[in-house]
Amino acid sequence: MVTGDERVLDRRALNRALLARQLLLERSSMTAAGAIGHLVGMQSQAPNPPYIGLWTRLTGFRTADLADLMRSHEAVRLVLMRGTIHLVTADDCVALRPVLGAALRQGLKGTFGRKLDGLDTDKVAEFGRELVEREPLTLGGLGTLLAERWPDRDPFALANAVRNLVPLVQVPPRGLWGESGQAVHTSAEAWLGRPLAEETAPDLVVERYLAAFGPATVKDVQAWSGMTRLADAVKRLRPRLLSFRDEHGRELLDLPDAPRPDADTPAPVRFLPDFDNILLSHADRARILTEEQRMLVFTRNGLIRPTFLVDGFVAGLWRIEQTRDAAVLVVEPFAKLGTAARAALAEEGAALLAFAAAPAAKRDVRFA
């Protein structure tokens, strides 16, 4: 709820606003494509998390709903926000990639600058595009071919130069539920049969971020996108945005018509997949988890573990242990759960198992 000053939003008010926009207060009847668009993509280093993320947000979601989008070139996986793999609609691939181009170029310098020093990376990108449009390639295969032309350079750095400077989409079966395959790439333009957009100003992307993650500070937008120097865009947008403060006095920007539910709005238990963007898209993540919890969820090797929410906040971890004919959902709370929360998690967990481990003859939920 808002505090004594009606324009100050406390932690619970921010939490409920975030849950509403993330389709986690109640499941939405949106299509899979509509939800992916509304969320401005879903982080997708691993193929299966977006399926769980859509299941937990949508009514009646089936794995085929997303797999069919990928097969028909209506959804793609490529490097976007924060230089990480995201699942986005084809339209967002076309629209977002040019806006993020400068940030991805800068990220390349930060990660591989020394290995690429003195090299004309635009020429590398041009040749790399020719190679992947001739035949989809793994990053390893692309690096090997690039090293034939630049033998004194690190193949992995060369491949990543192409990945950051050319919109490389991962071609199915990579990303399809229940199917395996290496990540092979071609250009977005070749895969989608159309060019990228020309607009590079971040204004619309900032507004879409607020619709999915707001209210938020400018630092939050930067943490989600990987972009910097957003002052000009925010200045242009400010006349049509609302301004709030959080409990620490930081300015929060928001869209006038975006949902801001009362802080006492009930929030159902929800299971979130690995790498869910709700945990990654703010500079200050206090609206969804504590710093102590973050250290348990975010591993040292860059993994973001699957979590579950109780009363809207991260309350523990989960995993599915499978054998040939059985599947067990192991729920690991961070603190003791009440009877009602345990019962709700058991019920929602059984539904998760029916979705994620449908072939298993025996399914059970166990609290660790």
Side-chain angles (χ1 to χ4, degrees):
M1 82 183 3
V2 292
T3 66
D5 178 353
E6 66 177 4
R7 301 194 70 80
V8 175
L9 301 176
D10 65 17
R11 182 177 184 240
R12 287 188 64 87
L14 291 174
N15 173 268
R16 292 316 194 247
L18 178 61
L19 294 179
R21 300 173 200 204
Q22 286 288 302
L23 314 179
L24 292 168
L25 277 184
E26 57 181 345
R27 282 186 165 90
S28 171
S29 60
M30 284 184 185
T31 64
I36 296 167
H38 168 75
L39 297 169
V40 206
M42 306 180 77
Q43 189 153 329
S44 184
Q45 278 100 317
N48 285 347
Y51 290 87
I52 304 294
L54 289 172
W55 171 84
T56 206
R57 289 171 166 90
L58 303 179
T59 57
F61 174 75
R62 304 167 305 135
T63 58
D65 296 337
L66 175 51
D68 289 347
L69 290 176
M70 300 188 70
R71 289 191 183 96
S72 61
H73 303 207
E74 296 174 77
V76 294
R77 299 172 72 239
L78 77 162
V79 169
L80 285 171
M81 286 72 74
R82 305 183 297 280
T84 56
I85 297 290
H86 275 71
L87 167 75
V88 293
T89 64
D91 287 344
D92 272 349
C93 172
V94 168
L96 293 174
R97 189 55 174 72
V99 177
L100 295 164
L104 291 172
R105 183 179 288 271
Q106 189 61 37
L108 177 68
K109 292 179 180 179
T111 306
F112 294 99
R114 299 180 71 177
K115 292 184 177 181
L116 298 173
D117 186 46
L119 184 64
D120 187 337
T121 52
D122 287 329
K123 285 187 176 180
V124 176
E126 181 182 359
F127 184 52
R129 177 187 288 276
E130 293 177 10
L131 292 172
V132 298
E133 290 183 350
R134 186 184 309 159
E135 177 186 8
L137 296 168
T138 64
L139 280 186
L142 175 60
T144 297
L145 293 175
L146 292 168
E148 292 177 1
R149 176 167 292 195
W150 290 279
D152 59 333
R153 299 289 180 162
D154 178 67
F156 186 64
L158 292 171
N160 276 274
V162 178
R163 189 171 76 155
N164 276 46
L165 302 181
V166 178
L168 296 185
V169 300
Q170 295 187 1
V171 177
R174 184 70 171 177
L176 301 183
W177 182 272
E179 298 191 32
S180 60
Q182 288 185 298
V184 295
H185 308 77
T186 189
S187 72
E189 295 92 338
W191 185 249
L192 300 178
R194 51 174 160 151
L196 300 185
E198 296 182 2
E199 181 60 71
T200 60
D203 303 36
L204 180 57
V205 175
V206 172
E207 288 187 284
R208 291 187 59 196
Y209 167 81
L210 293 175
F213 296 97
T217 66
V218 174
K219 285 187 176 180
D220 290 330
V221 186
Q222 293 177 168
W224 166 78
S225 65
M227 294 187 291
T228 57
R229 301 178 183 176
L230 295 175
D232 288 344
V234 170
K235 184 178 180 179
R236 290 190 294 269
L237 291 170
R238 190 173 285 279
R240 56 180 187 267
L241 299 178
L242 296 182
S243 177
F244 300 91
R245 296 281 169 183
D246 67 11
E247 295 171 297
H248 304 285
R250 292 172 294 210
E251 184 182 34
L252 301 163
L253 300 173
D254 204 10
L255 304 175
D257 58 350
R260 287 177 291 276
D262 189 88
D264 295 326
T265 302
V269 300
R270 289 288 185 258
F271 287 92
L272 301 177
D274 326 38
F275 305 107
D276 198 284
N277 265 345
I278 199 173
L279 306 181
L280 294 163
S281 299
H282 297 88
D284 180 359
R285 302 179 174 108
R287 70 186 70 193
I288 191 70
L289 82 169
T290 66
E291 178 60 20
E292 292 76 15
Q293 291 170 340
R294 188 195 67 79
M295 295 175 67
L296 297 172
V297 174
F298 290 55
T299 69
R300 291 183 178 180
N301 56 353
L303 300 179
I304 315 298
R305 303 169 72 184
T307 58
F308 63 87
L309 307 180
V310 173
D311 188 31
F313 296 92
V314 169
L317 306 171
W318 65 271
R319 67 183 185 275
I320 295 177
E321 297 180 348
Q322 289 188 267
T323 58
R324 178 173 297 180
D325 62 349
V328 176
L329 174 67
V330 182
V331 180
E332 299 182 9
F334 290 146
K336 186 176 181 179
L337 298 170
T339 302
R342 285 176 66 95
L345 285 166
E347 181 179 357
E348 182 76 356
L352 172 58
L353 280 175
F355 171 80
K362 299 178 182 178
R363 298 191 289 265
D364 191 22
V365 178
R366 176 167 60 86
F367 287 84

